[in-house]
């Protein structure tokens, strides 16, 4: 191998959603990257089954949202949630949610706080779309069947030893990012531990093909059916027809090896159903966040940095957010318009979000998997009363879990040293967010006259939004040019004063607001701060 062939700017370990999103984003920003994935083929376990609105916005920026929106459940399949004694038993409660086609029909009519509402798509279908796109992006290479053996850090590079079919080679990298999951080789070699709750619950998840189950569900279609037999279970529609996933939860100290997936399915359905088991996974639900997200030139993202019990697919979607944040920072340093100290902000921004998400997800899990009265299965008035009491509890705990706009639009970097004017904020919650621009938060969406979102107008670098055409932007463009910082200017004259309440808003490459103010600003000083030229640890 020649010297040019064994060098790359960024080595990404792991080709899951976080790793592939990071690779695509970096390559589109002109940063050469190489992805290695130990497995030869993608797994057959569906895993995460929701792509959040914020993830869809990130994929929209990368030109992937339409392809993702066309995959997953059929366009006319409702994304409703039903809560039943068993699938064939009594209904307890329901959340009627729209099909993908209904969502898209309503997007441009002001009914959604985003141009890209969440989409129900199994990771089984999402990853191939990401990998196919990755194969077309210049500057991005991907190797399956290659594992990271070890790495050594130096002042100006990292040497990573890779192994393919027993043959080893050394790759020289500027940076390494571990997107290699809960058992991360990168994290283990760094000596970074998880902190949190190591076992919240045990699960048995069965992936199956059953046209008969599809026909049974077709009587009253839903994306997820929660059932309350001997154990709480969720039956999830994967393709809207014959593919299903049956998650069954047990206590944290329960030995699931003795649990028969066939019997668990009968309990959830309320009787036998013809099916073919495609895979069974017995696993532990955890709530853990890595002690650090970075050590020198090596970073952690996705499940390598945080793993949570799966309540709404927040782990995968937070990993995609990690990628969006780390990508622009690495690109800024690579292209020379930000100093290496900028990278210190990655952990300062993403770790608090990970910790707050972990707490909120853990609370949601406790509520969702709380004990229920067996009386819900009784016939007559006693059963009706027990189901009504249970329904009143579900009406409180469940809606935000399936429309978690707070997690998509309420997470923030208000305390970041790269954000000017950020205020102390209450803890992030699933449901709460403000549709008003604030420093550190994702820029709120509005539709422009040509049916484009304001998010579509943002540049790949920084963007200065101007709501008052009387304010000169020349000091900003001059300062940016002198500092070599890419800066686009977008005019929104006199529009949406409640949403954009200042004359100027400076938006980062990841679509988060870095600063808000007016004509009395000091552009050079602000641009120094938001690009990390002011020492991050001193702020």
């Amino acid at each position: 191998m020649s010297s040019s062939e064994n060098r790359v700017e960024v080595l990404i370990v792991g080709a899951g959603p976080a790793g592939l999103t990071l690779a695509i984003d970096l390559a589109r920003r002109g940063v050469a990257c190489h992805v290695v994935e130990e497995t030869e083929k993608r797994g057959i376990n569906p895993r995460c089954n929701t792509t959040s609105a914020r993830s869809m916005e990130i994929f929209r920026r990368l030109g992937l949202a339409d392809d993702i929106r066309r995959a997953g459940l059929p366009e006319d399949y409702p994304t409703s949630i039903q809560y039943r004694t068993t699938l064939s038993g009594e209904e307890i409660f329901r959340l009627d949610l729209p099909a993908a086609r209904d969502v898209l029909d309503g997007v441009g009519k002001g009914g959604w706080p985003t141009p890209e509402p969440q989409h129900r798509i199994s990771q089984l279908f999402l990853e191939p779309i990401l990998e196919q796109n990755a194969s077309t992006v210049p500057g991005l290479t991907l190797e399956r069947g290659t594992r990271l053996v070890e790495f050594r850090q130096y002042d100006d590079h990292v040497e990573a030893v890779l192994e393919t079919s027993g043959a080893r080679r050394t790759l020289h990298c500027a940076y390494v990012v571990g997107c290699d999951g809960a058992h991360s080789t990168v994290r283990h070699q760094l000596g970074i531990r998880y902190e949190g709750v190591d076992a919240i619950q045990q699960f048995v998840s069965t992936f199956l093909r059953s046209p008969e189950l599809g026909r049974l569900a077709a009587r009253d279609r839903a994306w997820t059916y929660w059932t309350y037999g001997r154990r709480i279970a969720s039956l999830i529609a994967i393709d809207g027809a014959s593919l299903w996933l049956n998650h069954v939860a047990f206590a944290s100290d329960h030995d699931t090896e003795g649990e028969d997936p066939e019997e668990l399915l009968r309990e959830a359905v309320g009787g036998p159903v013809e099916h073919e088991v495609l895979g069974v996974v017995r696993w532990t639900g955890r709530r853990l966040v890595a002690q650090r997200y970075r050590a020198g030139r090596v970073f952690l993202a996705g499940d390598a940095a945080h793993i949570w019990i799966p309540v709404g697919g927040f782990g995968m979607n937070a990993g995609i957010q990690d990628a969006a944040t780390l990508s622009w920072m690495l690109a800024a340093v690579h292209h020379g318009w930000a100093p290496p100290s900028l990278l210190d902000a990655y952990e300062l921004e993403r770790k608090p979000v990970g910790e707050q998400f972990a707490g909120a997800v853990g609370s949601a899990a406790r509520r969702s998997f709380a004990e229920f009265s067996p009386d819900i299965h009784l016939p007559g008035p006693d059963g009706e009363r027990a189901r009504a009491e249970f329904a009143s509890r579900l009406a409180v705990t469940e809606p935000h879990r399936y429309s978690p706009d707070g997690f998509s639009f309420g997470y923030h970097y208000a305390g970041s040293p790269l954000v000017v004017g950020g205020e102390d904020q209450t803890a992030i919650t699933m449901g709460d967010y403000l549709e008003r621009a604030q420093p550190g938060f994702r820029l709120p969406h509005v539709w422009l006259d040509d049916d484009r979102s304001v998010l579509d107008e943002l540049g790949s670098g920084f963007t200065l939004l101007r709501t008052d055409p009387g304010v000169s932007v020349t000091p900003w463009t001059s300062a940016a040019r002198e500092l070599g910082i890419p800066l686009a200017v977008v005019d929104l004259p006199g529009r949406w004063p409640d949403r954009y309440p200042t004359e100027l808003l400076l938006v980062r490459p990841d679509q988060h607001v870095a600063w808000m103010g007016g004509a009395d600003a000091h552009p050079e000083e602000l641009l120094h701060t938001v690009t990390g030229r002011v020492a991050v640890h001193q702020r």
Side-chain angles (χ1 to χ4, degrees):
M1 177 176 288
S2 71
S3 60
S4 62
E5 289 178 317
N6 67 359
R7 297 181 184 275
V8 70
E9 184 69 12
V10 180
L11 172 66
I12 298 169
V13 184
L20 289 172
T21 301
L22 177 61
I24 293 167
D25 202 355
L26 278 173
R28 289 183 180 277
R29 294 183 186 277
V31 182
C33 53
H34 186 68
V35 184
V36 295
E37 169 57 51
E38 186 170 355
T39 60
E40 291 278 2
K41 298 180 180 179
R42 285 184 295 272
I44 63 168
N45 180 19
R47 301 181 68 189
C48 179
N49 292 290
T50 295
T51 302
S52 74
R54 183 61 189 138
S55 293
M56 289 299 291
E57 288 181 349
I58 292 168
F59 291 142
R60 181 186 182 97
R61 177 170 57 81
L62 297 175
L64 297 170
D66 288 346
D67 288 343
I68 293 170
R69 187 78 64 184
R70 285 193 293 266
L73 293 178
E75 281 193 347
D76 64 347
Y77 197 95
T79 59
S80 301
I81 318 296
Q82 292 189 24
Y83 303 78
R84 311 183 68 90
T85 53
T86 65
L87 181 62
S88 56
E90 296 289 337
E91 180 180 304
I92 302 168
F93 180 69
R94 67 193 295 148
L95 293 171
D96 287 319
L97 298 172
R101 183 180 300 157
D102 298 325
V103 169
L104 291 175
D105 288 345
V107 163
K109 299 176 182 176
W112 302 93
T114 172
E116 294 288 350
Q118 67 183 358
H119 182 52
R120 307 301 188 188
I121 177 174
S122 169
Q123 198 167 328
L124 199 66
F125 303 134
L126 174 64
E127 286 190 10
I129 295 172
L130 297 179
E131 189 163 333
Q132 170 59 32
N133 184 268
S135 70
T136 68
V137 181
L140 192 168
T141 52
L142 189 155
E143 272 189 281
R144 283 194 170 272
T146 296
R147 73 182 184 96
L148 173 71
V149 178
E150 61 180 353
F151 58 83
R152 295 177 293 275
Q153 292 205 59
Y154 299 91
D155 289 343
D156 60 350
H157 73 285
V158 183
E159 292 183 1
V161 179
L162 307 178
E163 183 177 86
T164 307
S165 301
R168 294 189 175 186
R169 71 185 194 274
T170 299
L171 194 66
H172 295 253
C173 330
Y175 300 98
V176 172
V177 185
C179 299
D180 47 343
H183 303 291
S184 170
T185 297
V186 175
R187 184 175 58 80
H188 282 296
Q189 183 165 336
L190 291 173
I192 295 175
R193 299 192 307 274
Y194 283 135
E195 294 179 333
V197 181
D198 196 51
I200 297 177
Q201 284 179 301
Q202 302 293 335
F203 288 87
V204 178
S205 297
T206 306
F207 182 37
L208 59 121
R209 180 180 289 111
S210 175
E212 184 180 350
L213 186 53
R215 289 190 293 271
L216 180 62
R219 301 172 187 172
D220 191 358
R221 293 188 301 175
W223 168 59
T224 296
Y225 300 89
W226 285 90
T227 64
Y228 299 87
R230 178 172 62 94
R231 294 287 180 180
I232 298 175
S234 56
L235 269 169
I236 301 173
I238 301 301
D239 66 349
S242 61
L243 295 180
W244 294 84
L245 185 64
N246 187 36
H247 280 310
V248 185
F250 297 87
S252 60
D253 58 354
H254 186 80
D255 183 2
T256 61
E257 288 301 321
E259 296 292 342
D260 179 9
E262 306 283 346
E263 178 60 27
L264 296 177
L265 181 62
R266 284 193 293 272
E267 291 173 358
V269 174
V273 61
E274 186 176 340
H275 66 280
E276 172 193 1
V277 173
L278 302 177
V280 178
V281 181
R282 303 171 195 272
W283 55 282
T284 302
R286 311 177 192 275
R287 194 184 78 226
L288 301 169
V289 178
Q291 296 169 307
R292 290 175 291 151
Y293 281 25
R294 178 194 182 189
R297 290 178 167 269
V298 183
F299 300 83
L300 301 175
D303 286 357
H306 45 72
I307 52 174
W308 310 313
I309 194 169
V311 180
F314 301 124
M316 182 194 80
N317 289 290
I320 292 167
Q321 295 171 11
D322 293 339
T325 301
L326 183 56
S327 175
W328 83 263
M329 293 180 177
L330 286 170
V333 173
H334 170 75
H335 291 302
W337 54 266
S341 59
L342 171 76
L343 299 173
D344 293 335
Y346 170 66
E347 178 177 310
L348 295 175
E349 292 187 352
R350 290 304 302 168
K351 190 168 186 286
V353 173
E355 290 169 340
Q356 291 191 50
F357 275 15
V361 169
S363 297
R366 286 192 295 273
R367 291 191 298 267
S368 297
F369 293 104
E371 293 297 320
F372 60 93
S373 170
D375 290 353
I376 63 173
H377 295 280
L378 293 175
D382 290 341
E384 292 175 3
R385 184 164 48 252
R387 291 190 290 275
E389 290 173 354
F390 191 22
S392 65
R393 191 179 92 192
L394 294 170
V396 174
T397 65
E398 300 303 279
H400 283 324
R401 184 150 70 94
Y402 288 104
S403 297
D405 289 341
F407 271 17
S408 277
F409 314 127
Y411 77 91
H412 61 83
Y413 312 131
S416 169
L418 305 183
V419 171
V420 179
E423 299 177 356
D424 290 340
Q425 300 286 338
T426 56
I428 301 167
T429 65
M430 285 190 184
D432 296 329
Y433 71 99
L434 185 66
E435 285 194 79
R436 179 184 176 91
Q438 303 175 82
F441 287 73
R442 159 260 195 195
L443 181 74
H445 150 79
V446 293
W447 287 113
L448 306 179
D449 293 337
D450 57 357
D451 292 331
R452 286 172 59 80
S453 169
V454 67
L455 299 178
D456 300 332
E457 299 300 306
L458 302 178
S460 60
F462 277 82
T463 302
L464 188 67
L465 293 184
R466 177 170 58 171
T467 64
D468 182 352
V471 176
S472 173
V473 298
T474 301
W476 284 89
T477 55
S478 298
R481 185 167 51 253
E482 187 172 324
L483 295 170
I485 298 170
L487 178 71
V489 176
V490 174
D491 280 324
L492 301 173
R495 309 282 298 272
W496 308 286
D498 292 337
R499 194 154 298 187
Y500 309 130
T502 55
E503 297 167 327
L504 299 170
L505 299 92
L506 183 64
V507 185
R508 306 187 334 176
D510 61 355
Q511 302 177 332
H512 282 250
V513 177
W515 167 86
M516 298 165 56
D520 58 346
H522 300 283
E524 185 173 352
E525 178 183 329
L526 288 168
L527 289 172
H528 267 82
T529 300
V530 300
T531 56
R533 295 168 192 243
V534 176
V536 165
H537 65 275
Q538 292 177 0
R539 289 182 55 79

